[in-house]
Amino acid sequence: MTQTRYDLLCIGEPLGEFNATRAESGAFQFGHGGDTSNCAIAAARQGAKTAYLGALGDDMAGRSIRDLWRREGVDDAHVTTHPSAPTGLYFVDHGPSGHVFSYLRAGSAASLMGPRDVPRDLVASARIVQASGISQAISASACDAVFEAFAIAREAGVTTAYDTNLRLKLWPLTRAKAIINAACGMADIVLPGYDDATQLTGLSDADAIADFYLRLGAKIVALTLGHEGSLVATPERRERLVPIKVDAIDATGAGDCYDGAFLAEYIRTGDAFAAGAYANVAAALSTQGFSAVAPLPRRADVEARMALEAKKAN
């Protein structure tokens, strides 16, 4: 049996981020993003031992992402550097209806990853392997790489987790539904966002959405509901978890923060409902600053806020 080396292995595409600031029109702040990379960093900040599987370009953005991972304690030993394909980029603008994303990622290094690039021993050495709809939407080969990783994980008895993270700029809804539902059918933990789930399932009721993913085979569904918190469901139990109040200024990466905090706390406690309550607080705190990564809270921040909320409740 392969010895466990990592609590969490995340698979997908890391990105360089240009986030518009409100202070000056046309000004952008450089940062880092990519949903599964954000998840890995969020989990690492909660104390989980994390690693990443993907690819970067031999460019400034790629080097900056590696530097970030090393500072945050995310193992990048299995992230390849492509000699000619670039690191993907994205831009974030802010308007009355929230944040708007634009992408520059066609032909990126991560999109060239395929099943042969998935190390069996690496996957088998993790406690949880996590991927997302975006991990699969960037190319057909990357899509198959996620399926390969999940097949290896299931064979090795490793827990699988999947965030539906629907991006219709990357693929049509019909294909997204087929692929994402197939991946959710291989996932032990499904982490959908409400807006995505309504499009993917055709349902609007949160409990019905949770039932949909449980019927696909999930053992745990953690459905994020934006300002209404989240719904955590298992075949035996479900609970609505209320959010905390914060002065939110940028929700970029909040769902990824929820994922990383949820998985880290689930690894620590084995309790999906405690993990959901913890992730609710972490995700709310992450909206208090600009960019996907910089505002991600650390465990001490989350625990302090939870203690404050408990004191208020009493």
Side-chain angles (χ1 to χ4, degrees):
M1 185 176 182
T2 303
Q3 184 178 0
T4 299
R5 287 188 288 162
Y6 304 106
D7 292 322
L8 178 64
L9 171 66
C10 296
I11 304 171
E13 179 172 40
L15 297 166
E17 176 193 81
F18 290 91
N19 201 311
T21 63
R22 292 175 179 170
E24 181 183 348
S25 178
F28 288 86
Q29 172 182 301
F30 180 75
H32 309 89
D35 63 338
T36 55
S37 176
N38 299 338
C39 173
I41 294 167
R45 289 191 179 186
Q46 313 318 308
K49 188 176 182 182
T50 64
Y52 201 81
L53 177 61
L56 293 165
D58 185 13
D59 48 34
M60 183 276 288
R63 289 186 286 275
S64 181
I65 290 167
R66 283 197 191 274
D67 288 342
L68 170 72
W69 283 335
R70 287 164 187 157
R71 292 195 302 271
E72 298 291 345
V74 177
D75 191 332
D76 69 340
H78 298 277
V79 178
T80 59
T81 298
H82 197 282
S84 56
T87 302
L89 302 174
Y90 76 108
F91 299 81
V92 188
D93 197 8
H94 305 275
S97 60
H99 50 264
V100 179
F101 298 100
S102 301
Y103 297 93
L104 189 63
R105 72 199 312 176
S108 68
S111 72
L112 303 180
M113 185 171 67
R116 69 182 64 184
D117 301 310
V118 178
R120 179 173 291 272
D121 289 347
L122 173 67
V123 172
S125 74
R127 294 179 68 182
I128 296 179
V129 173
Q130 185 259 1
S132 77
I134 296 175
S135 305
Q136 295 191 285
I138 56 175
S139 72
S141 62
C143 176
D144 290 344
V146 171
F147 282 134
E148 176 73 6
F150 273 21
I152 293 169
R154 288 165 71 86
E155 183 182 332
V158 172
T159 298
T160 49
Y162 192 86
D163 185 327
T164 54
N165 231 348
L166 179 65
R167 293 290 184 272
L168 294 178
K169 291 182 179 180
L170 293 175
W171 54 359
L173 182 58
T174 300
R175 176 169 169 77
K177 281 183 178 180
I179 297 298
I180 289 173
N181 286 350
C184 288
M186 299 177 73
D188 298 300
I189 302 172
V190 176
L191 300 149
Y194 177 78
D195 290 342
D196 293 347
T198 58
Q199 295 184 76
L200 291 165
T201 68
L203 302 167
S204 59
D205 178 74
D207 285 296
I209 290 169
D211 289 336
F212 177 91
Y213 290 111
L214 290 172
R215 283 195 298 270
L216 288 180
K219 298 173 184 174
I220 298 167
V221 177
L223 173 67
T224 53
L225 300 168
H227 298 301
E228 296 182 17
S230 61
L231 168 68
V232 176
T234 69
E236 299 81 24
R237 175 186 165 194
R238 66 188 58 201
E239 187 174 336
R240 291 262 190 155
L241 302 166
V242 298
I244 61 170
K245 293 182 179 179
V246 297
D247 294 324
I249 61 172
D250 181 9
T252 304
D256 308 330
C257 179
Y258 183 96
D259 290 359
F262 182 97
L263 295 173
E265 190 67 1
Y266 181 71
I267 288 165
R268 191 178 77 88
T269 66
D271 184 334
F273 301 95
Y278 184 92
N280 261 12
V281 175
L285 294 178
S286 76
T287 67
Q288 297 182 111
F290 283 107
S291 184
V293 172
L296 293 173
R298 299 185 184 275
R299 176 166 288 278
D301 304 318
V302 180
E303 290 181 342
R305 184 57 184 265
M306 292 183 78
L308 178 61
E309 294 296 321
K311 186 177 180 180
K312 283 198 245 179
N314 295 327

